[in-house]
């Protein structure tokens, strides 16, 4: 009942404030949104090697022209973080809105359109970073500009952090900001990447808001054996031992383990799905493995993004071995992408489990270096920020809102570990896009132009709804 009242109050507040102040002219702002978005997507800010300075400088120039003070903070000169702030009256603690300016790497030969061209085609914009994460960067920028231009009175400061290094170099980005400049970004609430609207058949089916995330780790399998001539096969062949170990780990399924967020996700999803799908989603909640097991197997085969919510996950992604065809190598290595459930993230215990699965003295199992986010508590569903999210989802998408645990990692984990209430949001994307190779980190990353514009409007309502003076 309390949550319902808070949501109703937020809807009313949005409506009242809309009547009491000028509303943005979105038809005019669409051209500006597109211009900023294409400019940023056309910048090669891949990480590694990392080179976010052009993006940060561009954002600073735009903010400077609008009269919004901003400052750069850099551990490495070519990889700065930009912080801008709109001052409120101080009645409430600040709101942080965040996006990262770096992207993952590309193989240009695999792209239909050049990866940094921001090509507009068939209603989409193509390019690296279009949905990870220059959409959030531009939405945050447009929210700041619009609040400033309309002179919206604020009960709390609004802080914009355009961060570097999210895609694998957090030491220059969020870790640097949290460890050395936390006062510049300290806030009660935070909106960043990690959620989004799920479209199917051209219609938004439901909204996901990330309130929790799995913890990324990396495991290295190293097989060793004597080198030799390829014409004389050996049972000690390191490649053969490594291949067997990788196959065992890939086939192993940790037990299903649900937390409050993931269990709630499947419960809500069941209520808006077909009878057959709803039954499967309810079945994965059943403690009886004879009921949950077949449902989980179906998801692994047909809906792997949902299956990844059920348990620790392991994906063998890199194998290195050999240097010529007639030489048996003495060493072979595989690197596994591991995502641990936050409520069962005992690294030592998990590593020992993998050793038991491999069960081969010729294969060493150890943790490999990577950015490891801290354990993080789930954000609350019972506060003003979440109520505003639910109201804005209803207004812009007319969809059910489902809090979710992200299988991927975001920099919000560092902020949640400091006590900040963080929520992952994002634009509507088509479920068909992922399997077709159009999703984030793919070779044809793209965003629907209309959904970029709708997300910007949605994002502004989130920010204004939380920060505007009542």
């Amino acid at each position: 009942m309390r949550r319902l009242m808070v949501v109703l109050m937020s809807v009313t507040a949005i409506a009242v404030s809309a009547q009491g102040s000028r509303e943005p002219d979105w038809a005019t702002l669409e051209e500006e949104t597109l211009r900023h978005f294409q400019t940023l997507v056309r910048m090669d800010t891949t990480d590694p090697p990392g080179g976010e300075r052009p993006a940060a400088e561009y954002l600073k120039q735009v903010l400077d022209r609008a009269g919004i003070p901003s400052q750069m903070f850099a551990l490495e000169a070519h990889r700065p973080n930009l912080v801008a702030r709109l001052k409120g009256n101080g009645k409430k603690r600040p709101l942080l809105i965040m996006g990262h300016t770096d992207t993952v790497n590309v193989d240009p030969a695999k792209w239909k359109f050049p990866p940094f061209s921001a090509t507009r085609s068939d209603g989409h914009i193509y390019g690296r970073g279009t949905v990870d994460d220059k959409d959030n960067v531009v939405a945050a920028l447009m929210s700041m500009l619009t609040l400033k231009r309309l002179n919206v009175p604020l009960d709390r400061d609004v802080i914009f952090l355009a961060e570097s290094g999210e895609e694998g170099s957090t030491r220059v980005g969020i870790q640097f900001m949290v460890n050395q400049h936390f006062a510049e970004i300290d806030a009660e609430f935070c909106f960043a990447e990690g959620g989004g609207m799920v479209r199917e058949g051209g219609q938004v089916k439901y909204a996901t808001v990330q309130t929790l995330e799995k913890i990324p780790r990396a495991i290295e399998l190293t097989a060793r054996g004597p080198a030799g001539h390829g014409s004389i096969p050996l049972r000690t062949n390191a490649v053969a031992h490594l291949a067997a170990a990788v196959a065992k780990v890939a086939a192993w399924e940790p037990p299903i383990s649900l937390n409050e967020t993931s269990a709630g996700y499947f419960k809500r999803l069941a209520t808006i799905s077909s009878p057959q799908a709803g039954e499967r989603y309810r079945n994965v909640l059943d403690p009886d493995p004879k009921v949950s097991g077949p449902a989980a197997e179906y998801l692994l085969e047909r809906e792997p993004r949902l299956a990844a919510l059920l348990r620790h996950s392991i994906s063998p992604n890199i194998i290195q071995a050999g240097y010529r065809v007639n030489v048996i190598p003495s060493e072979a290595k595989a690197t596994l992408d591991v995502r641990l459930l936050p409520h069962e993230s005992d690294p030592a215990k998990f590593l020992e489990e993998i050793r038991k699965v491999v069960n081969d003295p010729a294969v060493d199992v150890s943790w490999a270096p990577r950015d490891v986010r801290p354990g993080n508590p789930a954000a609350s569903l019972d506060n003003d920020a979440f109520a505003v999210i639910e109201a804005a989802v209803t207004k812009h998408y007319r969809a059910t809102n489902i809090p979710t645990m992200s299988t991927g990692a975001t920099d919000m984990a560092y902020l949640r570990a400091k006590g900040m209430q963080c929520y992952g949001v994002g634009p509507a994307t088509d479920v068909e896009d992922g399997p077709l190779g159009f999703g984030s980190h793919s070779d044809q990353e793209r965003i629907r132009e209309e959904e970029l514009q709708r997300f910007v409007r949605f994002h502004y309502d989130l920010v204004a709804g939380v920060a505007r003076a009542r």
Side-chain angles (χ1 to χ4, degrees):
M1 179 59 72
R2 184 180 182 279
R3 265 186 71 201
L4 176 60
M5 290 301 296
V6 172
V7 171
L8 291 173
M9 289 169 64
S10 297
V11 174
T12 303
I14 289 174
V16 170
S17 59
Q19 296 168 7
S21 65
R22 288 190 300 139
E23 282 298 287
D25 180 359
W26 292 115
T28 301
L29 291 173
E30 284 187 357
E31 184 280 330
E32 183 181 4
T33 296
L34 180 62
R35 174 162 42 86
H36 293 319
F37 187 68
Q38 286 187 294
T39 299
L40 289 167
V41 171
R42 286 168 179 155
M43 295 178 181
D44 181 352
T45 54
T46 49
D47 179 11
E52 298 92 336
R53 176 164 286 278
E57 289 179 341
Y58 175 81
L59 293 169
K60 183 165 178 45
Q61 290 170 8
V62 174
L63 293 163
D64 285 348
R65 286 197 298 269
I68 300 174
S70 63
Q71 188 175 356
M72 290 192 192
F73 300 88
L75 181 63
E76 297 178 1
H78 65 297
R79 311 199 65 181
N81 303 275
L82 178 73
V83 178
R85 184 184 293 256
L86 288 171
K87 296 290 290 184
N89 59 31
K91 288 183 178 179
K92 298 179 181 178
R93 294 186 58 216
L95 166 67
L96 175 66
I97 53 179
M98 187 166 74
H100 64 87
T101 52
D102 64 325
T103 71
V104 294
N105 302 89
V106 299
D107 181 351
K110 294 181 178 178
W111 287 70
K112 176 181 178 181
F113 303 107
F116 302 108
S117 64
T119 298
R120 300 169 72 189
S121 178
D122 59 33
H124 293 85
I125 304 169
Y126 288 79
R128 177 59 84 223
T130 49
V131 289
D132 188 11
D133 179 41
K134 291 176 179 178
D135 51 335
N136 265 285
V137 172
V138 167
L141 173 66
M142 294 305 299
S143 289
M144 295 291 284
L145 294 174
T146 305
L147 289 172
K148 175 67 174 179
R149 290 166 182 168
L150 296 182
N151 197 27
V152 176
L154 303 172
D155 273 345
R156 59 176 94 229
D157 291 3
V158 179
I159 306 167
F160 171 30
L161 170 60
E163 50 160 342
S164 62
E166 193 276 344
E167 296 289 2
S169 307
T170 55
R171 67 180 184 81
V172 303
I174 196 64
Q175 287 191 64
F176 173 62
M177 294 304 299
V178 167
N179 294 337
Q180 299 190 38
H181 299 285
F182 188 64
E184 301 293 338
I185 60 171
D186 188 15
E188 182 178 7
F189 300 120
C190 169
F191 295 136
E193 65 174 336
M197 313 299 154
V198 178
R199 274 177 47 130
E200 188 173 3
Q203 298 294 321
V204 173
K205 296 298 184 181
Y206 59 94
T208 63
V209 174
Q210 193 240 75
T211 59
L212 183 66
E213 58 191 73
K214 295 174 94 172
I215 301 172
R217 300 293 298 243
I219 286 178
E220 191 168 77
L221 306 180
T222 305
R224 296 182 177 89
H229 199 291
S231 65
I232 305 173
L234 301 174
R235 289 190 179 275
T236 53
N237 185 303
V239 173
H241 280 266
L242 180 68
V246 169
K248 289 177 185 176
V249 173
W252 179 56
E253 292 183 350
I256 293 173
S257 180
L258 297 165
N259 53 47
E260 184 180 0
T261 300
S262 55
Y265 177 87
F266 283 104
K267 287 175 185 175
R268 282 204 183 191
L269 190 58
T271 66
I272 61 171
S273 302
S274 67
Q276 297 87 350
E279 182 180 11
R280 280 193 297 273
Y281 300 146
R282 285 186 290 270
N283 284 348
V284 299
L285 304 172
D286 198 302
D288 184 353
K290 293 181 180 178
V291 178
S292 57
E297 187 62 30
Y298 180 94
L299 294 183
L300 187 60
E301 191 71 31
R302 310 283 181 84
E303 298 181 80
R305 65 186 181 86
L306 298 185
L309 297 171
L310 300 175
R311 46 169 63 101
H312 299 309
S313 65
I314 310 161
S315 179
N317 292 347
I318 302 174
I319 292 181
Q320 299 168 307
Y323 58 93
R324 56 182 296 161
V325 70
N326 62 347
V327 176
I328 298 172
S330 61
E331 185 174 279
K333 291 186 177 183
T335 306
L336 317 177
D337 185 353
V338 173
R339 307 294 169 126
L340 298 179
L341 295 168
H343 62 288
E344 289 188 356
S345 57
D346 184 339
K349 180 180 177 182
F350 186 79
L351 197 65
E352 190 56 37
E353 287 291 326
I354 298 296
R355 290 190 178 113
K356 291 177 182 177
V357 171
V358 171
N359 192 29
D360 185 347
V363 180
D364 176 70
V365 180
S366 60
W367 292 116
R370 78 173 296 174
D371 280 348
V372 178
R373 269 73 170 179
N376 55 104
S380 173
L381 307 184
D382 189 16
N383 57 37
D384 291 347
F386 192 76
V388 168
I389 292 171
E390 298 227 288
V393 167
T394 299
K395 173 184 174 181
H396 291 276
Y397 297 96
R398 301 190 182 280
T400 298
N401 184 35
I402 306 181
T404 186
M405 174 182 68
S406 177
T407 57
T410 74
D411 285 349
M412 287 185 293
Y414 293 97
L415 301 174
R416 290 196 186 109
K418 298 282 285 186
M420 202 179 297
Q421 297 291 304
C422 293
Y423 302 91
V425 296
T429 55
D430 294 305
V431 294
E432 300 92 347
D433 267 10
L436 293 174
F438 295 117
S440 63
H441 294 204
S442 73
D443 293 327
Q444 303 296 330
E445 187 177 344
R446 70 183 186 182
I447 189 171
R448 282 188 173 273
E449 195 168 320
E450 64 179 332
E451 293 300 350
L452 170 66
Q453 300 290 359
R454 178 154 59 159
F455 176 53
V456 168
R457 298 192 294 271
F458 168 76
H459 192 279
Y460 173 78
D461 273 358
L462 293 185
V463 177
V466 172
R468 193 195 305 259
R470 303 293 182 182

